[in-house]
Amino acid sequence: MKNTHWWKNAVVYQIYPKSFQDSNGDGIGDLRGIISRLDYLQKLGVDIIWLNPIYESPQVDNGYDISNYQAINPTLGTMADFTALLDGLHQRGMKLVMDLVVNHTSDQHPWFLESRKSKDNPYRDFYIWRDGRAGQAPNNWGSYFSGPAWKYDSKTGQYYLHLFAPEQPDLNWENPQVRQRVFDMMNWWADKGVDGFRMDVINLISKPAGLPDGPQRADEKYANVEELVPNGPRVHEYLREMNRQVMSKHKMITVGETPNVTPADAKKYADLHNQELNMVFQFEHMNLDANPNPALTKWNDQKTSLADLRDNLTKWQVELAGQAWNALYWNNHDQPRVVSRFGDDSTEDYRVKSAKMLATMTHFMQGTPYIYEGEEIGMTNAGFTKLGDYVDLESRNAYHQLVEEQHLLDGLTMLKYLAMHSRDNARTPMQWNDQRYAGFSTHQPWEKLAGNYRQINVAQALADSNSVFYYYQKLIKLRHTLPVITDGRYALATGNDSDEQIFAYTRQDKETSLLVILNYTAQTVSRHYAVPDTAKLLISNYADDQGDTIRPYEAKVYQY
Ligand code: GLC
Ligand code: CA
């Protein structure tokens, strides 16, 4: 059963359940809502659905704080709804990937409630407890969500580690019992018929030995855990153990979310011999537009240059070829919308053209493409202008820390940065039609809608044969039918190395060659690429082909 690589030509669609479709009029998306949209997903043609966490959770971090791994969050539905969803997918030939959040639990998880009771509680060692240092935290680490990574618990006079919110205590993976409980839980879901896992921050589970202080600059309140914790000393040992105990027993697909990995790291996590994971989400292309001031991390308003993007994507294509497998993505529930970030949403024409151009860029690469809900209709960033519109704790905490506490930015600048990079940009409700609440709900949604839902929505996209939707549908079909997209060799087109407007690459196997030509800009340029007379235009986002003249955001692919 192992090593079948059945997923190699599959396309994954990510659903953020709270924002996809509400079925019972409470303003929150739910499982019944997803079930009602399965025919839509089938029409798009995707093979696998990845659901963000749907487990019981106090929702401090929208479900990434889990209080029961084997129960469904009642706001989203019941276990019967879950089974109906799984069956509905399987009947349509689609598979289901669940989010696995096991770096940490909720502070309301029974393990943690026990753990904090006393130093000799049997669950004490399920988490990472330490004495303070002279009334201070055990070390100088900061959390991913601002503030310290330690919280003092007066009950037992010790601190516990939380790399994310204080309500998300980190599990102690050094404890074999923790690992066993996690593996048992995974097997329980696999036995129910779940087809795989997306593993939340899975390369953070092994912490550096001794939890040492990290380097800290004068303008930083804490040491940056992003540089200290990823890819810890025992992470590969843990993942191999997980693979032996879980993955090797089922026909599943796994993708690890792994901040701070290089291609060399990714080859260890996702080597094709499959002793750990099938692939990882790396973040290098997501960080190309980060602020040059490290104290500001992702908060910035610069657009990624084509040179940086091409170099980076090419590096991953070339270095992983034949050894490991790429996860291809532009956005997810933590990232802004691709068309607003890498494309151009300033006019309707450019929005549609640039959305298709960017889709072409990744969908012709080697790896597994992930489409984030709404990407297939070219949904844009939220366009929020007030701090009060943002609900995500990362955004709110960052504003508080950078503007009010550290005075590193003024409020208007930070609002501009939030409009570009807040996670809320991805979490506005799915835009189904131009009715009140965009067909997402009959009730005020839990998160504000993007203001443009009357123009940009599924009903409109389905009615327009030129829409972004039908372009994605075609891209997916091509991946299913043209093996060169899955297996062919990737290379930059001749002379493309330093082109500042055009990105051009080839894919090649014994029978077929593809030439992908993409204009990353709003300028019309002239470039000559030699293609045989027999070459046919496979797909394009313009109605005609003008040869060497390449128009704004034009994308075209030749096959020969
Ligand atoms: C991952 C998730 C993100 C979450 C964090 C903590 O990065 O994608 O949404 O907040 O882990 O679980
Ligand atoms: Ca609901």
Side-chain angles (χ1 to χ4, degrees), residues 458-470:
V458 169
Q460 182 281 328
L462 292 179
D464 172 6
S465 61
N466 244 326
S467 68
V468 179
F469 178 91
Y470 291 114

Side-chain angles (χ1 to χ4, degrees), residues 79 101 108 110 135 159 247 308 340-341 347:
M79 197 53 89
V101 189
Q108 300 306 305
Y159 292 77
M247 285 85 105
D308 288 350
S340 303
R341 183 186 195 176
T347 71

Side-chain angles (χ1 to χ4, degrees), residues 340-474:
S340 303
R341 183 186 195 176
F342 294 94
D344 187 341
D345 61 9
S346 67
T347 71
E348 177 57 14
D349 183 36
Y350 284 179
R351 179 185 72 83
V352 171
K353 294 251 166 53
S354 65
K356 293 175 181 175
M357 180 274 292
L358 292 162
T360 314
M361 195 184 293
T362 44
H363 279 256
F364 278 95
M365 288 186 176
Q366 183 166 54
T368 299
Y370 288 74
I371 300 169
Y372 180 64
E373 65 177 41
E375 176 186 337
E376 78 282 13
I377 57 165
M379 272 176 65
T380 66
N381 277 351
F384 293 165
T385 51
K386 299 192 297 290
L387 185 61
D389 290 338
Y390 292 94
V391 297
D392 178 33
L393 84 172
E394 183 200 45
S395 296
R396 301 178 66 88
N397 291 354
Y399 186 97
H400 177 70
Q401 180 174 319
L402 299 174
V403 177
E404 289 158 4
E405 243 178 73
Q406 294 182 274
H407 306 289
L408 288 175
L409 293 172
D410 63 82
L412 280 180
T413 305
M414 187 61 191
L415 279 177
K416 200 169 67 184
Y417 293 173
L418 286 174
M420 293 288 299
H421 283 284
S422 168
R423 306 197 297 183
D424 284 313
N425 286 307
R427 301 176 182 184
T428 60
M430 181 72 181
Q431 296 164 196
W432 295 103
N433 59 40
D434 62 2
Q435 310 291 296
R436 193 153 186 237
Y437 306 134
F440 164 72
S441 178
T442 53
H443 183 280
Q444 173 82 45
W446 71 280
E447 162 129 0
K448 251 180 95 167
L449 283 150
N452 55 21
Y453 70 87
R454 287 199 174 77
Q455 295 79 49
I456 304 169
N457 58 63
V458 169
Q460 182 281 328
L462 292 179
D464 172 6
S465 61
N466 244 326
S467 68
V468 179
F469 178 91
Y470 291 114
Y471 196 89
Y472 269 85
Q473 188 187 52
K474 190 163 178 191

Side-chain angles (χ1 to χ4, degrees), residues 324-345:
W325 196 249
N326 272 293
L328 308 167
Y329 75 98
W330 280 121
N331 42 201
N332 58 39
H333 64 293
D334 294 329
Q335 300 290 339
R337 292 277 177 185
V338 55
V339 70
S340 303
R341 183 186 195 176
F342 294 94
D344 187 341
D345 61 9

